Amino acid sequence: MSRHVVVGTAGHIDHGKTSLVKALTGIDTDRLPEEKARGITIDLGFAFLEEPDGLTIEIVDVPGHERFVRNMLAGVGGIDLAMLVIAADEGVMPQTREHLAICSLLHIRTGLVALTKTDLVEPDWLELVKDDVASLVADTFLAGAPILPVSAKTGAGLPELRAAIGALARAVPERAADQLPRLPIDRVFTVKGFGTVITGTLMTGRITVDDRVEVYPRGVQAKIRGLQTHGQPVAEARAGQRTAMNLQGIERAAITRGDVVGPPGALIPSLLVDGTLELLEDAPRPLKTRDRIRFHVGTSEIMARVLLVDRAQLEPGERTFARFRLEAPLVALPGDRFVVRSYSPIVTIGGGTLLDIDPPRFKRKAPALLAHLTLLAEGAPADVVEEHVRQVGVAGIRLGVLSGRVPYGPERLRGLLAELEAGDRVLAVERDWFLHHDSDDRLRGQIRTALEQFHRANPLKPGMSREELRGRAGAADERIFAHVLARLAAEGVVRTERDKVRLASHEVHLSADQRRVVDQVESDFLRAEAAPPSPEEALSRAGIHGDEEHELFQLLVEGKRLVRIKESLFFHAHALDSIQDKLVALLRERKEIGPGDIKDLLGISRKYAIPLLEYFDGRRVTMRVGERRVLRGP
Ligand SMILES: Nc1nc2c(ncn2[C@@H]2O[C@H](COP(=O)(O)OP(=O)(O)OP(=O)(O)O)[C@@H](O)[C@H]2O)c(=O)[nH]1
Ligand SMILES: [Mg+2]
């Protein structure tokens, strides 16, 4: 079985990292002419070792120079184990400490110390340095790790070093292959005849030639034309592999280090993220809310302002929750570790774990935000997913968005959602759209209350307009509203008729007086047949002042007793039926008629005749041919 484990070097400038990598692998990782000229490493270098059992040890060689810590950070973001290189003649130096702190902050779990240049020191001295190093790492992930004396010059200790790296690498737990493929880009270049090539360590998942990917945060899509690892073309790359990707359909200029390759639409570039934040014991000063800092995650470095959630100032050695307002979009997932460096002087001061990407708009100091972040930090995966679904409220959340806000792969996430559905904590509005049970309850409550209020205020109206109701129910999304309403209807709580909604329990109750008015208006229209009164006339004859908007008149309209032909012209439904019968009979006889004929037929004026003819045209009973009408065929 082939496995890939990424080892990163770390350590002070000139302590022999690059020489050691070359002695181990035969690869000179200092490629740049400037690196050759100055004899220092400026940018990341890459090498590898193949073990007979199928294990590939990927090596990222980082610069030790204080000015290139940002490059170092881009390199160690994706490593599994650290090789802290310390020159025996110089011992522990500032970047020895800073690199060690960075690896600790990134939660690198394992590693070793290579005490190099042993050819330059006496054995007694070597022992002293060893003790020094042991106490340096005592409280870190390297506590008790092997400290191996080596020399890149004489080759002493190299076989032991290689064996120790191999042993540690074999113990590194396998990377998650079921998660979305994610590759933070560390280099971009063009290759003649191929176009744009990017490289990076595939953090999770797997990718295949011909896959479509998106380069975040720019949101440009591309196709993977080819993949290489260590200069060899491969069909597939897997988590932990150093990968070169030839992207089709994207310009080199559109990509920079720090961008991330992932599946289209899967990641959420965000200007706001929440996380835990710990300040190093030896941070030079406290960190205050609003301080400008450098935020490093994956291969990216972004300027940000820190907003402490529960205090104004964080002291060295303390930890808390913090919000980061970024000056450019960040692409990461919760669970990712990050490193924070102060703006000036540029030194590593702390780091933490991302908890929420593009978080809901809490007030920064609200206790609700603390509760939310505590849950994200400590909750079981199902509780974390539930919390996200709860927080979006009645808007619901789509699977695609949710997957960019949790660190679980697609299959795991579906499983967790199924678990929440089964437990009645979350419900699926559509296949990939989820609503929290509480939000559903809230929406149902709002709908019922709005209907109750409406019926109380309008006892004669048979129902409330659907749109108005949706507005009263917090203007919920149309499909969510429809879903909730449909369930209320299925449960027999509400009835919907066309665009009117009412509580199933609602009935129109008329007083004797109201009943008399309604009956009188109706019989007025019935009697008038083809020459009906205006609503005002009919109402005033029944002793009421009002127009067609009057609720008693509307009762007849909504009950379909009266039919609106145009504007304020209403006919009784029975009258319309009998007019239609007469009209059809006449047309059968004459084949075609003019407006004059219908006036004669019904004994009415033009005022009624024209709207009636237009109404029957509209009902597809008749058809207009010039100024005349014919029957429309069946
Ligand atoms: N005598 C001796 N010299 C060494 C050994 N390893 C490295 N050197 C020398 O130390 C100098 C620095 O070595 P590099 O390997 O470039 O150091 P580095 O840690 O990669 O330096 P940066 O990448 O710039 O941080 C070079 O001149 C090397 O020849 C060693 O084991 N013995
Ligand atoms: Mg170097």
Side-chain angles (χ1 to χ4, degrees):
M1 235 293 277
S2 78
R3 277 203 63 192
H4 297 261
V5 173
V6 189
V7 178
T9 61
H12 198 72
I13 184 166
D14 256 356
H15 273 206
K17 297 179 288 300
T18 305
S19 305
L20 198 52
V21 170
K22 187 168 180 202
L24 283 167
T25 66
I27 299 168
D28 183 1
T29 56
D30 279 349
R31 313 157 273 119
L32 304 174
E34 198 190 342
E35 289 177 324
K36 298 254 188 261
R38 291 170 65 183
I40 60 166
T41 304
I42 294 169
D43 210 344
L44 303 173
F46 304 97
F48 65 99
L49 274 175
E50 273 170 341
E51 297 283 293
D53 61 353
L55 171 70
T56 304
I57 296 167
E58 312 268 8
I59 300 179
V60 181
D61 181 40
V62 308
H65 196 298
E66 167 181 26
R67 277 192 43 217
F68 306 131
V69 174
R70 59 186 303 212
N71 293 341
M72 181 272 178
L73 273 156
V76 292
I79 69 173
D80 296 299
L81 68 93
M83 175 166 76
L84 183 62
V85 179
I86 302 173
D89 57 339
E90 263 195 341
V92 174
M93 293 292 282
Q95 268 62 56
T96 315
R97 293 178 193 281
E98 185 170 15
H99 285 196
L100 178 62
I102 287 171
C103 291
S104 300
L105 288 168
L106 289 173
H107 280 187
I108 311 288
R109 307 258 168 227
T110 177
L112 49 72
V113 181
L115 214 49
T116 190
K117 302 199 191 182
T118 49
D119 57 288
L120 296 179
V121 299
E122 298 302 320
D124 307 1
W125 177 258
L126 191 62
E127 286 312 308
L128 287 176
V129 178
K130 255 191 176 175
D131 289 349
D132 220 21
V133 171
S135 68
L136 171 76
V137 302
D139 291 329
T140 73
F141 69 101
L142 287 181
I147 301 173
L148 301 167
V150 291
S151 167
K153 193 168 181 189
T154 67
L158 288 181
E160 291 81 357
L161 177 62
R162 183 171 176 154
I165 294 172
L168 285 173
R170 284 183 189 90
V172 167
E174 195 101 32
R175 291 195 187 215
D178 61 337
Q179 287 192 24
L180 296 175
R182 213 158 38 113
L183 184 142
I185 296 172
D186 51 39
R187 283 190 297 160
V188 197
F189 46 88
T190 45
V191 176
K192 252 209 162 81
F194 286 96
T196 309
V197 175
I198 60 100
T199 67
T201 304
L202 187 62
M203 303 233 307
T204 48
R206 52 179 67 197
I207 42 168
T208 322
V209 172
D210 286 341
D211 278 354
R212 279 206 75 76
V213 291
E214 182 169 337
V215 178
Y216 298 87
R218 258 153 259 243
V220 242
Q221 291 200 10
K223 196 174 103 171
I224 301 178
R225 191 200 265 171
L227 287 171
Q228 286 194 352
T229 58
H230 313 305
Q232 300 300 313
V234 290
E236 185 194 70
R238 285 191 292 151
Q241 248 173 333
R242 284 291 312 165
T243 309
M245 214 184 267
N246 179 202
L247 293 176
Q248 191 179 342
I250 194 165
E251 290 297 311
R252 188 228 169 287
I255 314 177
T256 55
R257 170 179 285 178
D259 290 353
V260 178
V261 176
L267 297 168
I268 305 172
S270 176
L271 289 169
L272 201 63
V273 294
D274 290 344
T276 61
L277 175 64
E278 61 212 69
L279 206 55
L280 292 173
E281 294 270 5
D282 55 5
R285 58 180 121 95
L287 189 64
K288 292 200 275 302
T289 261
R290 310 220 143 269
D291 275 356
R292 195 155 180 246
I293 50 105
R294 298 159 194 274
F295 193 94
H296 295 263
V297 68
T299 55
S300 72
E301 175 189 25
I302 301 176
M303 293 295 168
R305 297 239 176 232
V306 60
L307 305 167
L308 302 168
V309 169
D310 63 350
R311 64 193 79 188
Q313 181 165 311
L314 188 66
E315 303 295 330
E318 284 183 350
R319 63 182 281 161
T320 184
F321 291 120
R323 169 160 284 195
F324 298 91
R325 200 172 286 289
L326 301 143
E327 294 175 20
L330 177 107
V331 181
L333 280 177
D336 286 359
R337 291 288 300 181
F338 61 84
V339 168
V340 167
R341 292 194 303 153
S342 54
Y343 179 67
S344 176
I346 310 177
V347 284
T348 302
I349 54 168
T353 302
L354 283 176
L355 292 174
D356 209 356
I357 304 298
D358 201 17
R361 304 292 171 226
F362 283 105
K363 280 218 171 65
R364 178 167 56 87
K365 288 190 174 153
L369 176 57
L370 265 183
H372 174 70
L373 292 176
T374 306
L375 202 158
L376 296 187
E378 294 162 13
D383 298 333
V384 169
V385 172
E386 180 184 8
E387 173 69 3
H388 284 299
V389 183
R390 183 192 287 117
Q391 283 307 328
V392 294
V394 295
I397 192 166
R398 292 183 180 280
L399 188 66
V401 175
L402 194 52
S403 76
R405 294 191 60 195
V406 293
Y408 320 122
E411 265 172 56
R412 176 121 191 258
L413 180 56
R414 277 200 186 280
L416 292 168
L417 282 162
E419 187 184 323
L420 290 169
E421 274 189 79
D424 243 355
R425 290 149 77 183
V426 154
L427 55 122
V429 180
E430 283 176 10
R431 197 173 119 73
D432 289 337
W433 196 357
F434 300 90
L435 187 65
H436 194 269
H437 194 275
D438 295 350
S439 309
D440 181 51
D441 269 356
R442 181 148 24 106
L443 210 48
R444 293 162 70 98
Q446 282 172 331
I447 290 174
R448 292 175 84 132
T449 311
L451 285 173
E452 276 159 18
Q453 285 170 352
F454 181 86
H455 290 321
R456 217 175 300 130
N458 309 277
L460 299 180
K461 293 218 171 119
M464 186 174 183
S465 118
R466 202 175 175 285
E467 264 317 286
E468 195 186 334
L469 178 60
R470 188 165 75 89
R472 295 285 301 280
D477 179 278
E478 168 55 33
R479 273 161 299 177
I480 294 215
F481 178 71
H483 182 84
V484 174
L485 204 59
R487 270 184 304 123
L488 283 170
E491 292 160 16
V493 177
V494 304
R495 296 256 162 86
T496 53
E497 226 170 276
R498 286 204 233 174
D499 73 327
K500 291 281 193 290
V501 188
R502 67 179 168 92
L503 286 174
S505 56
H506 174 72
E507 272 170 32
V508 174
H509 286 292
L510 293 181
S511 67
D513 227 27
Q514 289 169 326
R515 169 59 50 205
R516 182 192 53 76
V517 172
V518 170
D519 288 348
Q520 190 174 332
V521 170
E522 181 177 2
S523 59
D524 229 13
F525 275 86
L526 203 49
R527 212 171 328 105
E529 197 167 71
S534 72
E536 288 87 344
E537 281 165 351
L539 282 166
S540 85
R541 262 180 253 161
I544 293 262
H545 186 73
D547 60 11
E548 73 243 41
E549 296 301 332
H550 194 282
E551 57 189 15
L552 291 175
F553 192 86
Q554 277 300 313
L555 212 53
L556 287 164
V557 177
E558 274 156 11
K560 301 194 182 62
R561 311 297 291 165
L562 298 183
V563 179
R564 182 200 291 265
I565 297 301
K566 63 177 278 193
E567 284 133 39
S568 329
L569 184 56
F570 293 83
F571 285 78
H572 196 281
H574 292 338
L576 275 180
D577 287 345
S578 79
I579 293 168
Q580 179 171 339
D581 290 346
K582 287 180 193 166
L583 185 63
V584 170
L586 185 68
L587 273 164
R588 291 234 163 85
E589 190 190 314
R590 303 211 190 143
K591 300 298 176 235
E592 57 167 60
I593 57 170
D597 297 318
I598 191 165
K599 279 163 61 185
D600 297 343
L601 173 74
L602 302 169
I604 54 174
S605 70
R606 229 184 129 71
K607 172 175 134 193
Y608 300 113
I610 302 294
L612 274 171
L613 280 172
E614 282 167 1
Y615 170 74
F616 288 119
D617 287 344
R619 299 282 305 259
R620 309 176 81 78
V621 174
T622 54
M623 191 165 67
R624 188 171 175 159
V625 182
E627 272 309 293
R628 311 195 53 82
R629 255 74 179 187
V630 296
L631 265 185
R632 191 181 270 271

